[in-house]
Amino acid sequence: MSSNTTFNPSSLTYNAAGLIPAIAQDEGSGEVLMMAWMNAEAVARTLETGRVTYWSRSRQAFWVKGESSGHVQELVDFRFDCDRDCLLVLVRQIGPACHTNRRSCFYTAVRDGGEVELMTPEG
């Protein structure tokens, strides 16, 4: 499967705020690590540098995953869904992905009507 089409970040479908959800998945284990937001510039920066770059809604600024924590996400593959409105970034995760120092942001489950913590912080 090959294509002659050049990818342009503006070809994606962004929400009214100019953002698109990006799901980070570990390329080796398939584990879903986190979800964050990207805008067209974050998409372009991610593809140019190979370091996953998100848009922080609270800070209104770009953040390169691991820039301050050292818990880097190296881009392995960049995919988008059939509607072009959601991203899947396959990454090589170095250290925890979650700001709570857990491997994944998805560390809480609902089991038998109660919340269960599936993993504790690393280190």
Side-chain angles (χ1 to χ4, degrees):
M1 293 183 192
S2 65
S3 173
N4 296 343
T5 306
T6 301
F7 175 73
N8 185 330
S10 66
S11 70
L12 297 171
T13 303
Y14 299 90
N15 67 15
L19 302 174
I20 187 169
I23 299 165
Q25 182 178 29
D26 184 272
E27 59 100 14
S29 70
E31 180 181 21
V32 175
L33 301 173
M34 59 179 279
M35 188 291 266
W37 297 93
M38 290 185 176
N39 60 18
E41 181 65 24
V43 169
R45 290 182 184 198
T46 296
L47 293 170
E48 288 168 12
T49 66
R51 296 275 308 278
V52 183
T53 303
Y54 299 103
W55 177 256
S56 170
R57 294 177 299 164
S58 60
R59 294 186 310 245
Q60 292 292 292
F62 295 104
W63 57 283
V64 178
K65 185 66 176 166
E67 197 169 50
S68 59
S69 67
H71 303 155
V72 174
Q73 288 180 348
E74 297 173 357
L75 183 66
V76 175
D77 200 13
F78 186 94
R79 302 178 186 182
F80 47 87
D81 73 342
C82 56
D83 294 324
R84 301 178 83 93
D85 64 358
C86 188
L87 304 175
L88 177 64
V89 288
L90 298 174
V91 300
R92 188 169 299 108
Q93 179 70 45
I94 299 167
C98 185
H99 74 281
T100 65
N101 219 34
R102 289 172 174 84
R103 173 86 182 141
S104 169
C105 292
F106 298 95
Y107 61 86
T108 306
V110 177
R111 306 263 168 89
D112 297 321
E115 292 185 19
V116 178
E117 188 173 292
L118 302 174
M119 64 186 76
T120 57
E122 294 183 13

